Amino acid sequence: MTQDELFKVLVAHCKEYGFIFPSSEIYDGLAAVYDYGQMGVELKNNIKQYWWNAMTRLNENIVGIDSCIFMHPRIWEASGHVSAFNDPLIDNKDSKKRYRADVLIEDYLGKIEEKIAKEVAKGRKRFGDSFDEAQFRATNPNVLREQAKYDEVHNRYVKAEQASDFAEYRQIIIDCGIVCPISGTCNWTDVRQFNLMFSTSIGSTSEGANTIYLRPETAQGIFVNYLNVQKTGRMKIPFGIAQIGKAFRNEIVARQFIFRMREFEQMEMQFFIKPGTELEWFKNWKEKRMAWHVNLGMGAENYRFHDHEKLAHYANAATDIEFQFPFGFKELEGIHSRTDFDLGNHQKFSGKKIQYFDPETGESFVPYVIETSIGVDRTVLAVLSHAYKEEKLENGETRVVLSIPPALAPVKAAVLPLVKKDGLPEVAQQIMDDLKYDFNCQYDEKDSIGKRYRRQDAIGTPYCITVDHDTLEDHCVTVRDRDTMTQERIPIAELRSLIDKKVNLNNLLRNL
Ligand code: GAP
């Protein structure tokens, strides 16, 4: 199965098993908006808990808040979003479809990278253990040709990006022969800037303005509460404020499922520090955040840093943590050194003094900020796309299994009476009643045991517990492991500690 096919199958699987539904589906859906179903919301909540606890419990100097989506419109002027939160858009004159010019170029570069990766994989297969990747890349004519093409386009793109030269974006698209996927033509308009914020109206504000914006990031809710938290929490620099919440962007390129949505959720943390220490803290948070990801056990090789060549209007250093999605390495989290841009501007625009008094030096200053910002939905997609597997079994059948990290799995254990009679359902219900306070469990008595195992594999349940006739005598149950499919007979009294060892989020947190 190609990665493209795999992705389509995954999207269908997410719907079939209650993870993610297209929004407003009975009205034919709403582009780039998705709802989470009964399984999806559990997975999402577990991810949020892993992040929240890693931030606020493992760091004594980080606290959380929950600020509102609606904020005073001047906030978005101060933050630069009104003037600078734009995407470069280009239209195809034949299909009348609109695209992000930067995404068209990045996808083109991504395809060249894929071609190179395929050549390298072929080489590895051909030469086996003696394969020297660096030498292969330096000498193979196909790789050299593709790499030269990549470097040429990439250099032009970076220069155009740094100079905000949108005419050059268009020229790159034309020179590379990038066509509209719908019309197949290269008949492009000029590139224009398009603001991503959604606006709506409100009764009134202190300045009489009634246009307000749905927040495009949660970060500003943290900045405007900096003084409140610092004072009421008696926080001493360095300290952080964390927040999880919805953000809204009028994304034009509505593709790749929940990767790019118009309504999505962010987990952001702003870390307030002394000016001059930002590059040290930036490095520190890069390492900490990468460790958080790798700790999930989805393979360190599936993550990489992508340091920004063009910095956002607020940053003096920035990197992305990228994950290998089925459509290539793409941004999962952004880490930015935001200087004093936000607090400084809020001080200017609000007229309120936003400073930190350092009791040790007697100085007052506007703190600098390191931000870590990760998308909840992109993490859900990373977990699901890595977890989805179709396996051939020894008996010739195939099974679909989601090997979700156990601590994140929506359902931790399924309790299955072998038959619907002879007192087995009653024992199974007792086990459910006992376990339900500690774990999200499912009771299932329908269909053959094999079918029930398949249903649980498909939603990623780490353990299936089967109650059979022997259970009535020996008070033991058969526990089947999702990944190895091995079965073990254990006393009912030991169930809780067995499950807990594998699924307890604290065990993940302890490894950080
Ligand atoms: N406060 C900084 C900020 O918002 P960003 O790189 O624009 O930075 C941070 O966004 C993260 O939010 C991204 O790494 C991504 O995971 C997530 N994100 C951004 N736009 C998104 C969208 N349209 N749909 C889903 N997730 C998105």
Side-chain angles (χ1 to χ4, degrees):
M1 203 175 348
T2 65
Q3 290 298 297
D4 254 7
E5 286 161 349
L6 173 76
F7 193 51
K8 280 191 191 123
V9 171
L10 176 68
V11 174
H13 187 87
C14 284
K15 185 172 167 216
E16 188 179 347
Y17 286 93
F19 281 88
I20 298 158
F21 308 125
S23 166
S24 322
E25 199 182 6
I26 58 170
Y27 292 94
D28 296 333
L30 190 61
V33 187
Y34 289 91
D35 296 336
Y36 283 82
Q38 65 279 16
M39 290 301 140
V41 70
E42 296 286 345
L43 171 59
K44 200 174 165 189
N45 285 344
N46 293 339
I47 289 171
K48 289 197 268 188
Q49 207 190 347
Y50 175 44
W51 184 87
W52 186 261
N53 288 0
M55 282 294 175
T56 63
R57 290 214 191 149
L58 302 193
N59 298 286
E60 283 171 32
N61 58 350
I62 298 183
V63 293
I65 63 162
D66 183 18
S67 71
C68 279
I69 288 169
F70 292 149
M71 298 202 281
H72 197 287
R74 291 273 285 162
I75 288 173
W76 304 110
E77 288 172 37
S79 69
H81 283 81
V82 170
S83 58
F85 195 53
N86 301 319
D87 271 349
L89 298 184
I90 191 164
D91 291 44
N92 183 271
K93 291 183 197 165
D94 299 319
S95 66
K96 312 274 185 261
K97 289 279 172 205
R98 183 164 287 176
Y99 300 90
R100 264 178 66 174
D102 54 341
V103 171
L104 286 178
I105 300 170
E106 279 166 18
D107 283 355
Y108 175 83
L109 288 169
K111 281 194 189 122
I112 302 180
E113 274 183 318
E114 263 172 43
K115 273 192 201 160
I116 295 174
K118 270 192 194 144
E119 286 294 336
V120 171
K122 268 200 261 169
R124 181 169 288 116
K125 205 167 163 194
R126 184 145 44 102
F127 295 110
D129 286 346
S130 62
F131 182 64
D132 178 341
E133 184 173 332
Q135 196 197 356
F136 185 82
R137 282 178 180 269
T139 52
N140 180 278
N142 293 344
V143 172
L144 288 173
R145 190 187 56 245
E146 293 301 326
Q147 191 62 51
K149 196 161 49 165
Y150 180 94
D151 291 343
E152 200 240 351
V153 177
H154 185 251
N155 287 343
R156 280 180 70 186
Y157 174 52
V158 169
K159 268 195 208 142
E161 205 185 12
Q162 278 165 349
S164 297
D165 182 351
F166 300 115
E168 174 66 355
Y169 272 23
R170 180 173 185 270
Q171 201 51 52
I172 295 173
I173 289 170
I174 289 169
D175 293 348
C176 293
I178 299 173
V179 296
C180 162
I182 309 288
S183 67
T185 71
C186 211
N187 194 6
W188 297 108
T189 61
D190 288 341
V191 175
R192 279 162 302 121
Q193 291 283 74
F194 178 86
N195 193 286
L196 292 180
M197 282 196 296
F198 284 105
S199 60
T200 184
S201 49
I202 195 165
S204 71
T205 65
S206 54
E207 286 156 22
N210 60 8
T211 298
I212 56 164
Y213 300 99
L214 299 190
R215 66 181 180 196
E217 61 172 17
T218 61
Q220 297 305 323
I222 295 179
F223 292 126
V224 297
N225 278 296
Y226 162 80
L227 281 180
N228 286 335
V229 175
Q230 194 269 319
K231 290 203 167 126
T232 57
R234 301 192 316 282
M235 307 300 287
K236 288 208 166 54
I237 272 178
F239 75 91
I241 306 179
Q243 163 155 245
I244 298 178
K246 291 267 183 168
F248 304 83
R249 297 183 188 176
N250 197 359
E251 299 281 3
I252 290 305
V253 182
R255 279 186 316 163
Q256 293 162 331
F257 194 32
I258 56 169
F259 181 81
R260 202 180 298 287
M261 299 202 284
R262 296 197 167 118
E263 175 179 340
F264 57 99
E265 228 172 332
Q266 289 184 315
M267 306 187 279
E268 299 202 295
M269 192 281 298
Q270 312 294 327
F271 199 68
F272 299 95
I273 53 173
K274 210 172 166 171
T277 62
E278 69 270 21
L279 293 182
E280 204 182 308
W281 279 113
F282 178 68
K283 184 166 167 278
N284 184 289
W285 276 107
K286 263 178 88 166
E287 283 162 16
K288 269 184 113 155
R289 291 305 304 146
M290 184 58 102
W292 183 91
H293 287 281
V294 172
N295 191 38
L296 282 173
M298 304 200 297
E301 69 286 1
N302 289 319
Y303 298 89
R304 70 181 187 192
F305 286 115
H306 170 232
D307 293 332
H308 287 205
E309 277 144 301
K310 184 186 180 192
L311 295 170
H313 60 273
Y314 49 73
N316 75 353
T319 196
D320 294 336
I321 293 178
E322 295 186 335
F323 181 77
Q324 184 152 36
F325 289 99
F327 38 84
F329 271 102
K330 297 274 176 208
E331 176 185 346
L332 177 57
E333 169 156 8
I335 301 164
H336 311 114
S337 169
R338 291 180 82 126
T339 67
D340 59 355
F341 175 87
D342 302 270
L343 290 185
N345 269 7
H346 287 308
Q347 183 169 253
K348 214 174 343 167
F349 279 67
S350 68
K352 307 277 183 326
K353 193 169 163 194
I354 306 181
Q355 301 212 342
Y356 178 77
F357 174 72
D358 187 339
E360 277 166 27
T361 62
E363 283 173 313
S364 288
F365 56 85
V366 178
Y368 269 36
V369 170
I370 303 298
E371 166 184 77
T372 71
S373 173
I374 169 173
V376 179
D377 313 275
R378 283 192 193 176
T379 313
V380 169
L381 185 58
V383 168
L384 288 174
S385 58
H386 181 265
Y388 184 91
K389 291 181 186 74
E390 290 179 11
E391 288 181 354
K392 255 231 149 12
L393 303 180
E394 275 171 13
N395 64 5
E397 287 177 17
T398 43
R399 73 159 181 163
V400 171
V401 59
L402 291 186
S403 5
I404 297 173
L408 303 184
V411 177
K412 306 301 188 201
V415 187
L416 319 170
L418 190 61
V419 288
K420 271 194 264 181
K421 54 182 185 180
D422 304 336
L424 302 192
E426 287 76 4
V427 177
Q429 272 301 347
Q430 269 169 20
I431 295 175
M432 276 292 291
D433 287 345
D434 190 37
L435 295 179
K436 71 184 178 193
Y437 299 98
D438 293 308
F439 315 109
N440 188 26
C441 296
Q442 244 187 22
Y443 176 86
D444 189 1
E445 57 175 28
K446 253 207 181 131
D447 299 322
S448 71
I449 198 78
K451 274 195 181 154
R452 283 182 268 170
Y453 283 162
R454 295 288 163 275
R455 277 203 290 271
Q456 296 301 329
D457 287 344
I459 57 169
T461 307
Y463 285 126
C464 285
I465 299 161
T466 305
V467 175
D468 57 25
H469 290 95
D470 289 344
T471 307
L472 304 176
E473 306 298 323
D474 63 7
H475 306 289
C476 288
V477 284
T478 302
V479 177
R480 173 187 177 269
D481 182 283
R482 174 194 73 192
D483 300 317
T484 60
M485 291 185 285
T486 50
Q487 302 191 7
E488 145 181 54
R489 191 98 186 139
I490 71 152
I492 293 173
E494 287 174 22
L495 272 176
R496 179 178 291 108
S497 74
L498 177 94
I499 300 168
D500 191 74
K501 218 180 276 167
K502 189 158 194 159
V503 310
N504 194 323
L505 188 62
N506 290 338
N507 295 337
L508 256 193
L509 291 166
R510 274 194 196 97
N511 288 336
L512 280 175

